[in-house]
Amino acid sequence: MDQITQRIADSFSRQSLMATFGATLGTVTPGSVTIHAPILPLALQQAGMGHGGLVFSLGDSAAGYSALSLMPESQEVVTSELKINFLGPATGDELIARGKVVRNGKRLVVVTAEVSARTGKEEALIAILQGTMVPVPA
């Protein structure tokens, strides 16, 4: 495991919310991170679909970790702002959040994330997020 992947994996393992959601870290490359999570009964809304908070949290973490993957060891990132557009229901076997860095600045890192719902081998894009991460001392 390379140094960037190890750093992201170590940080990810400390996120109790991701553990609660049963989320797992997928691919990690500089500026891009994927997170997978099943749609568990604990994260459903009243109509039986995955809750918007689940979708948002996965997208936020994927986007944030994509920014962290470009930071020096002396820095962490925090979310400054993040917008979401829900495009479809969170139904299926699992959700996949793919975060990426759009622009890596000194003070602000612009990020996006796409969240898809997978049923078998079929995927449907259900949300897009865009926001800003702020580098902070580790």
Side-chain angles (χ1 to χ4, degrees):
M1 185 179 294
D2 67 47
Q3 189 174 6
I4 293 170
T5 303
Q6 186 64 57
R7 181 181 186 196
I8 302 302
D10 290 345
S11 178
F12 188 83
S13 71
R14 294 189 301 271
Q15 278 207 20
S16 60
L17 184 60
M18 291 296 108
T20 298
F21 289 149
T24 57
L25 189 60
T27 58
V28 175
T29 60
S32 177
V33 170
T34 302
I35 297 173
H36 299 258
I39 303 172
L40 299 174
L42 62 83
L44 300 179
Q45 47 89 297
Q46 70 281 0
M49 295 176 267
H51 194 282
L54 168 64
V55 176
F56 187 89
S57 295
L58 293 172
D60 178 38
S61 288
Y65 280 125
S66 71
L68 184 64
S69 73
L70 299 177
M71 295 292 116
E73 288 288 327
S74 62
Q75 291 184 310
E76 276 281 342
V77 296
V78 294
T79 304
S80 172
E81 58 85 27
L82 195 59
K83 174 199 185 311
I84 188 167
N85 290 101
F86 292 102
L87 307 173
T91 58
D93 302 323
E94 74 170 339
L95 299 179
I96 305 160
R98 295 176 176 97
K100 71 177 188 175
V101 172
V102 175
R103 184 175 187 279
N104 185 26
K106 280 185 172 183
R107 294 189 179 128
L108 301 174
V109 181
V110 177
V111 294
T112 63
E114 294 185 350
V115 181
S116 296
R118 178 182 287 164
T119 303
K121 293 184 180 186
E122 299 285 322
E123 271 191 43
L125 182 63
I126 63 162
I128 54 174
L129 300 87
Q130 180 174 315
T132 308
M133 301 291 160
V134 178
V136 297

